[in-house]
Amino acid sequence: MTLTMQPHRETVGLEPGLLYIDGEWGGATDGATWTHRHPATGEDIGELAVASASDVDAAVAAARRRFDSGEWSNTRAQERIAVLRRCGALLREHAEQLRGLQALDNSVPVGFGAGVYAVSVEVAADVFDHHAGWVDKLGGETLTPYQGGDHLAMTFREPIGVVAAILPWNAPFLLFAQKVAPALATGCTVVLKPSEYCTFTVLRMVELLEEAGVPAGVLNVVTGPGDPTGERLITHPDVDKVSFTGSRGVGSRIVEASAATMKRVSLELGGKSPAIVFDDAADVGLAAATTIGAVTLGLSGQACVANTRALVHRSVYDEFIAAAEGMAGMVSYGDPFDPAVMSAPLINGKQLDRVLGYIERGKADGARLVTGGERLDGDYANGNFVAPTIFADVDNASTLAQEEVFGPVLAVIPFDDEDEAVAMANDTEYGLGASVFSANAQRTFRMARKVRAGTVCVNGFQLEPHLPFGGFKQSGLGREGGKSSIESFTELKTVLMPLGDEMM
């Protein structure tokens, strides 16, 4: 059997990838294109435009004009709320098509995209609905003057300006919404750059937002790789804020580039999140299934917040490994449009080589390979498939435990007591997420406070659209989601106004 995506292209209605600038769709000015290769089959799926520096300049100029004119930021709250709610409604209405486009882009199975919150279309709609509720609540404060006097002391929140929103390829629905919805809710204008490995899904979402009534120039899209498209966007002097989700290396470059014009930045840069399993966990098998599932199902471990380190109490260590190995053996691969398929390949050949390199490094460093560790062949030979891989007896200081593999690889590490578990959990440059499995409420609360991570979940892991998301340490800067997201797309202004008969 040879996998092919060609019939699905027609079913989903794949269109050529174009730029969207000031309400107009078109190709790059220099005609440059990039061909997207499907990760499961190796076949060419479609072409997208590669925006040149001049294309980026045009998109930023359009966003700047619309922001400076106040056409969007000064609209009545009820009008902006209505547009954002229509955005959510249209995303839900076209959910099936969008899941199909995602399957063509990054090979996330349509069944997984329909049922798992973090990669579902419904999460994007929820995020738009949530932020619609913030539009008429962007208030400041009125304070009592510190030194007394006949005047008012007030603060206001105002939109930050032109936002460069740069998306990764792995969760286009959630991350599109997490960046675009709060930006639009606060009155900002946006220049969006999707990953070249997941562009067609995002372009269709932009079409739906256009249909919902987002005015021309308020949302613009430039497509292409980091060079030249992304580099020009992050260095553009008329961009006021960069919101980026992706690699730590690119995040560092954005911080460096932002210094010249003091751009505001929000960065989510990955993690090496631990799942901490105590001997009093209510169900060790469930803890194992939850942990290995996040590393192997759907995105095949290509998720920044996945618990790719399992710190397991020595008394339940063997039980955990056996349960995780059994779950890993049940993962199915193949055509992402097949509802029976549970997981995706790695996104490209470069990532395939990188993950296989980490596996070899784990072996060389003395970790015990429990299962997996190889590229799938046979019917899957043309794709970037790696078997679900579990390493046991991993040294927490080793490369496998410290670096973000971004593939279906779980490192299992034993511990003896709570203090050791905390020390190992925090012994990393990252701090994005963590899970704690224990039936002891006091213990789980202590661990939640002691582990240095942006999100800590007890006896499972989930994300909510109204809660802040981001990381400690080198996992990034700032938070997106909920009130914190709204605040990150605004500037705080203080106004002092004298009172009395004469304003002097």
Side-chain angles (χ1 to χ4, degrees), residues 66-112:
R66 301 303 178 186
F67 181 77
D68 290 345
S69 72
E71 295 176 47
W72 178 247
S73 59
N74 291 336
T75 56
R76 294 179 180 177
Q78 65 184 30
E79 295 176 14
R80 221 182 309 162
I81 290 169
V83 170
L84 290 171
R85 293 206 183 282
R86 284 197 296 271
C87 291
L90 285 171
L91 291 172
R92 287 191 181 90
E93 183 181 334
H94 293 85
E96 184 176 356
Q97 181 195 26
L98 289 168
R99 281 192 287 270
L101 285 167
Q102 179 178 239
L104 287 176
D105 265 328
N106 61 15
S107 202
V108 169
V110 293
F112 191 84

Side-chain angles (χ1 to χ4, degrees), residues 64-271:
R64 183 88 262 163
R65 284 194 303 273
R66 301 303 178 186
F67 181 77
D68 290 345
S69 72
E71 295 176 47
W72 178 247
S73 59
N74 291 336
T75 56
R76 294 179 180 177
Q78 65 184 30
E79 295 176 14
R80 221 182 309 162
I81 290 169
V83 170
L84 290 171
R85 293 206 183 282
R86 284 197 296 271
C87 291
L90 285 171
L91 291 172
R92 287 191 181 90
E93 183 181 334
H94 293 85
E96 184 176 356
Q97 181 195 26
L98 289 168
R99 281 192 287 270
L101 285 167
Q102 179 178 239
L104 287 176
D105 265 328
N106 61 15
S107 202
V108 169
V110 293
F112 191 84
V116 177
Y117 192 74
V119 292
S120 72
V121 183
E122 288 72 19
V123 67
D126 289 346
V127 171
F128 272 94
D129 286 345
H130 172 75
H131 286 95
W134 274 106
V135 173
D136 59 353
K137 301 175 183 65
L138 298 174
E141 298 177 294
T142 302
L143 305 171
T144 301
Y146 183 76
Q147 300 182 40
D150 197 16
H151 64 275
L152 288 176
M154 300 173 288
T155 62
F156 295 88
R157 285 205 173 271
E158 298 184 353
I160 207 164
V162 176
V163 174
I166 303 175
L167 307 182
W169 58 264
N170 57 346
F173 303 134
L174 171 63
L175 295 172
F176 176 99
Q178 274 194 326
K179 298 179 189 303
V180 174
L184 296 182
T186 55
C188 296
T189 57
V190 180
V191 180
L192 179 70
K193 193 197 91 65
S195 167
E196 62 271 33
Y197 296 103
C198 193
T199 293
F200 298 105
T201 304
V202 172
L203 292 178
R204 180 60 180 137
M205 294 174 78
V206 170
E207 285 183 333
L208 294 173
L209 266 62
E210 180 186 29
E211 183 180 338
V214 176
V218 171
L219 176 61
N220 307 271
V221 182
V222 291
T223 59
D227 184 18
T229 311
E231 179 67 17
R232 179 54 181 164
L233 186 56
I234 66 172
T235 57
H236 200 290
D238 278 339
V239 169
D240 299 298
K241 175 184 171 71
V242 178
S243 175
F244 170 78
T245 300
S247 73
R248 191 168 62 177
V250 176
S252 297
R253 171 61 189 139
I254 289 171
V255 171
E256 177 187 13
S258 71
T261 55
M262 293 298 171
K263 291 177 179 25
R264 280 46 176 161
V265 296
S266 296
L267 306 173
E268 193 274 276
L269 305 177

